[in-house]
Amino acid sequence: MKKLTGSCLCGKVEIQVPDQFDFIGYCHCSQCRKWTGSAFAAGGLVDEKDFSITAGEQFVSRYPKSEETELGFCSGCGSNLFSHKLKRGKYIVRLGVLDDAPTQRPNVHIYCASKAPWFEITDQLDCYDELP
């Protein structure tokens, strides 16, 4: 299976994931908006065993957002890299850090009930108020 590489803005951290995600979508929850500084976070879900940091592990800072989620970012440039879903054994990789385009395309919006009031979803993808 094809592998996708990714990196942070300064290039100190590099990751690798398979070009096969459990899902790819847009999260509109208030916490993702705060973390990304944007209207939503674009991410793809992979198993822990399929996610690897191939360079710069020492530059990855981790923020314990909750008992279930740990956020990973580059301590050098601040790039948001991933959300580690600790109890589920999954990673949500931020699509913006990928150097290669994934074969799959985003197909869902989640937490639409709490989306930014100034942002309008105009595509035809499925929207869920929470997780489907």
Side-chain angles (χ1 to χ4, degrees):
M1 173 177 297
K2 179 182 173 188
K3 298 283 186 180
L4 300 173
T5 60
S7 58
C8 62
L9 182 61
C10 69
K12 291 179 179 174
V13 179
E14 297 176 3
I15 65 165
Q16 187 177 69
V17 293
D19 188 16
Q20 181 62 48
F21 295 89
D22 294 349
F23 86 87
I24 291 184
Y26 304 111
C27 182
H28 295 269
C29 79
S30 60
Q31 291 181 350
C32 279
R33 289 197 320 270
K34 289 272 187 191
W35 193 50
T36 63
S38 185
F40 53 83
L45 185 73
V46 297
D47 286 330
E48 277 179 339
K49 66 179 176 46
D50 295 326
F51 175 88
S52 61
I53 297 171
T54 56
E57 174 75 46
Q58 70 272 29
F59 298 106
V60 176
S61 290
R62 297 168 191 271
Y63 172 70
K65 186 182 94 159
S66 69
E67 289 182 11
E68 295 184 14
T69 303
E70 177 181 77
L71 304 176
F73 60 96
C74 175
S75 62
C77 64
S79 292
N80 300 318
L81 301 166
F82 58 82
S83 297
H84 186 189
K85 300 300 184 181
L86 301 165
K87 293 181 179 180
R88 294 183 179 176
K90 304 279 187 177
Y91 279 86
I92 298 176
V93 177
R94 299 296 165 221
L95 298 182
V97 303
L98 294 177
D99 300 321
D100 309 306
T103 302
Q104 293 167 268
R105 295 292 179 251
N107 62 3
V108 67
H109 292 273
I110 58 174
Y111 292 100
C112 295
S114 61
K115 76 172 186 55
W118 45 263
F119 181 77
E120 184 178 343
I121 298 171
T122 58
D123 60 37
Q124 303 304 312
L125 300 180
D126 291 336
C127 291
Y128 297 93
D129 285 348
E130 295 184 0
L131 284 174

